[in-house]
Amino acid sequence: MNMRTRVGIVGAGPAGLLLSLLLSREGIDSIVLESRSREEVESTIRAGVLEQGTVDLMTEMGLGERMKREGSVHHGIELRFDGYGHRIHLYELTNGRAITLYPQHEVLKDCIAARLAQGGHILFNVKDVELFDVSSRQPLLRCAHEHMQVELQCDFIAGCDGFHGVSRLSIPEAMQHVFTRSYPFGWLGILMQAPPSTNELIYAYHERGFALVSTRSPELQRLYIQCDPDDDIARWSDAMILEELQVRLVTRDNWQLLVGPIIQKSILAMRSFVIEPMQYGRLFLAGDAAHIVPPTGAKGLNLAVADVRHLSLALTVFYQENRTDLLEAYSTTCLRRVWRAEHFSWWMTSMLHRFPDDDAFGQRMQRAQLDYTVGSRAAATSLAENYVGLPY
Ligand code: FAD
Ligand code: DHB
């Protein structure tokens, strides 16, 4: 089957789906190729924290109705260490900005429904996606879909296929610079059937390691604990996980974690990764395909959204005004925000985790940084403005 579109998009994650919607708003057609099923895309548990700018964009695009109803707006977060909690007043420190807790898979459900309602094409369950001629004016995507060979002629290809995708591999090695850092710990994440233990997120620093309390709904909590990145999840019984959470979250005024059945658990590795540049010929990478941050700063999804904002604008001025300047500047424009988020995520991670080989000096440095962050308005403001998201 031969098809043609202006922008061929690989991956139906937040980057790919939002890009297709942003482009369609400007009358630019696109086709999304996704290797997983719609059910899988719509049920995989990942991010939860949306920056103010992400929320504003979704609202402006008419995607905000359910988010407004079911999401919850948070005006602060807590940093907890040494048995005390310290509130960072996001709202007050950023002139009225906030974050919204609304799960990534709910964002994806809303985007898929909106795109299909427009008559847009998303091909799920595709196999063996390959990119050809990305440095020419006629790049091509090939894949298998429902026992058919699909050939998709495009003007541009957007590589929105996440960290393990194929698009990035089309950039010749000699043209790319890769920057990476892996961390000597991972996160064990769980979903627990219990009402929220807290109204706001808690980021806890403890000698046994980091812990994070988040929520998904009035009946479901999302919790994370720092663990060995090579740990086997089968080794962690529910009782061990709860015990670790309770120890790490203990306060001097006897705060209690509300507990219930654990219905999902998994371990994720933590890394920082950036590829420069994020473009080659007529291939443009966006989101996790181009950069990964450790999850501590809650930036991954939000960065993906920022990338496709720039990309859709650059493509729009190309088609409407025949201008190539924004496309040429795409990588440079995105990388400024990417590196800011890389720094913030690395900084939050370094401040809040226990490093296996850290000595007493390193731990005192972390404590000094935590004390300063909660004790100084200037330092708290720096955390707050990064956390809610810097202006585009
Ligand atoms: P992805 O979501 O990875 O989407 C890529 C899509 O491409 C996938 O659907 C995949 O199936 C598809 N694909 C891959 N390869 C191919 C191929 N060869 N052919 C076709 N399709 C392909 N970020 C935040 O901002 N806030 C948070 O609170 C937060 N918490 C997180 C918690 C966890 C536990 C994890 C794991 C991540 C978290 N993140 C968070 C990060 C966030 O989930 C990612 O940054 C985000 O999903 C990136 O979106 P994306 O569209 O770039 O990539
Ligand atoms: C969640 C994930 C994060 O990485 C984070 O920093 C805060 C919350 C979450 O899944 O809810």
Side-chain angles (χ1 to χ4, degrees), residues 6 28 110 117 155 161 169 176 179 247 268 270 284 298 387:
R6 280 176 158 179
I28 302 167
D110 296 341
D155 295 343
D161 46 353
L169 308 177
Q176 38 166 292
F179 304 83
V247 168
L268 60 123
M270 314 244 303
F284 294 83
Y387 195 80

Side-chain angles (χ1 to χ4, degrees), residues 46-49 101 187 201 203 212 214-216 222 224 295-298 387:
R46 292 188 73 177
V49 176
L101 266 272
W187 277 13
L201 271 64
Y203 287 81
L212 169 58
S214 179
T215 63
R216 280 295 177 272
R222 178 73 168 150
Y224 300 95
T296 327
Y387 195 80

Side-chain angles (χ1 to χ4, degrees), residues 63-71 102 106-107 109-110:
L63 295 166
E65 196 212 318
R66 207 160 61 89
M67 175 180 67
K68 204 161 184 185
R69 216 172 342 112
E70 296 174 20
Y102 187 62
E106 303 294 347
V107 172
K109 279 186 205 167
D110 296 341

Side-chain angles (χ1 to χ4, degrees), residues 19 93 95 197-198 313 339:
L19 179 63
L93 293 167
N95 297 319
S197 303
T198 161
L313 180 65
W339 279 113

Side-chain angles (χ1 to χ4, degrees), residues 52-118:
Q52 183 79 56
T54 302
V55 170
D56 293 346
L57 180 68
M58 285 184 57
T59 307
E60 184 194 311
M61 292 173 70
L63 295 166
E65 196 212 318
R66 207 160 61 89
M67 175 180 67
K68 204 161 184 185
R69 216 172 342 112
E70 296 174 20
S72 70
V73 177
H74 290 200
H75 286 179
I77 55 169
E78 178 180 324
L79 294 188
R80 183 176 290 186
F81 54 96
D82 214 15
Y84 293 103
H86 306 264
R87 184 162 192 254
I88 306 287
H89 273 272
L90 302 174
Y91 191 78
E92 192 190 297
L93 293 167
T94 61
N95 297 319
R97 293 167 77 76
I99 52 150
T100 296
L101 266 272
Y102 187 62
Q104 175 165 330
H105 64 278
E106 303 294 347
V107 172
L108 296 181
K109 279 186 205 167
D110 296 341
C111 290
I112 290 169
R115 186 68 189 124
L116 295 180
Q118 294 173 342

Side-chain angles (χ1 to χ4, degrees), residues 305-323:
V305 173
D307 287 351
V308 296
R309 262 180 99 112
H310 288 305
L311 186 52
S312 64
L313 180 65
L315 289 165
T316 302
V317 300
F318 173 82
Y319 283 112
Q320 292 178 358
E321 299 169 35
N322 205 17
R323 275 171 50 194

